[in-house]
Amino acid sequence: MFESSSCPVETTLSLIGGKYKTLILWHLAEAKMRYSQLQKAIPKVTPKILTQQLRELESEGLVHREVFPIIPPKVEYSLTNLGKSLMPVLIAMRDWGTSYLRTNRDIEPGCFMVHSNPN
């Protein structure tokens, strides 16, 4: 999926630039999650897109998928160390968006992105 580029911004966007990829990463920063938990945490994402974006994040080494050999099958998703290294970027996006909403739109942020520790 990843296409080689010497532009750092283009490289970052190629890894996390999907409509829901940053939200998936954000939620996984808190804890391991099952597919159904991610669906509930991101209610606007369709099952097809969630699956596709999880696969892309996994193929880029940002998300780890662990399958437990039980019946019914259990699958958990978590951030890899590489995925965790993106948290300062996501926190900066949250902070910028909060400032923009308050300053330019006179809107209080309406989501609960409260991670304070990037580790």
Side-chain angles (χ1 to χ4, degrees):
M1 169 102 202
F2 179 74
E3 295 179 20
S4 180
S5 171
S6 62
C7 175
V9 173
E10 185 178 348
T11 298
T12 305
L13 285 175
S14 72
L15 293 171
I16 66 171
K19 187 167 183 178
Y20 298 102
K21 284 183 182 179
T22 53
L23 293 176
I24 292 167
L25 293 167
W26 187 268
H27 288 293
L28 291 177
E30 185 88 5
K32 293 179 181 181
M33 296 181 83
R34 295 181 70 174
Y35 183 88
S36 61
Q37 292 172 306
L38 283 166
Q39 274 190 309
K40 288 177 187 172
I42 311 168
K44 291 183 180 181
V45 68
T46 65
K48 177 184 175 185
I49 296 298
L50 180 57
T51 298
Q52 176 187 347
Q53 296 206 339
L54 280 166
R55 285 181 182 158
E56 290 174 9
L57 290 167
E58 183 183 6
S59 74
E60 295 298 348
L62 301 174
V63 168
H64 174 72
R65 179 178 184 263
E66 185 170 1
V67 179
F68 296 89
I70 60 173
I71 296 181
K74 177 181 174 182
V75 178
E76 285 185 342
Y77 295 91
S78 60
L79 290 184
T80 62
N81 286 335
L82 184 62
K84 290 176 185 176
S85 73
L86 281 166
M87 284 311 297
V89 174
L90 300 181
I91 289 168
M93 290 172 65
R94 177 208 54 199
D95 293 347
W96 187 90
T98 297
S99 177
Y100 175 82
L101 286 171
R102 288 179 176 157
T103 303
N104 297 300
R105 301 286 187 214
D106 197 28
I107 297 172
E108 277 301 307
C111 62
F112 300 99
M113 297 182 133
V114 294
H115 294 283
S116 58
N117 184 358
N119 297 322

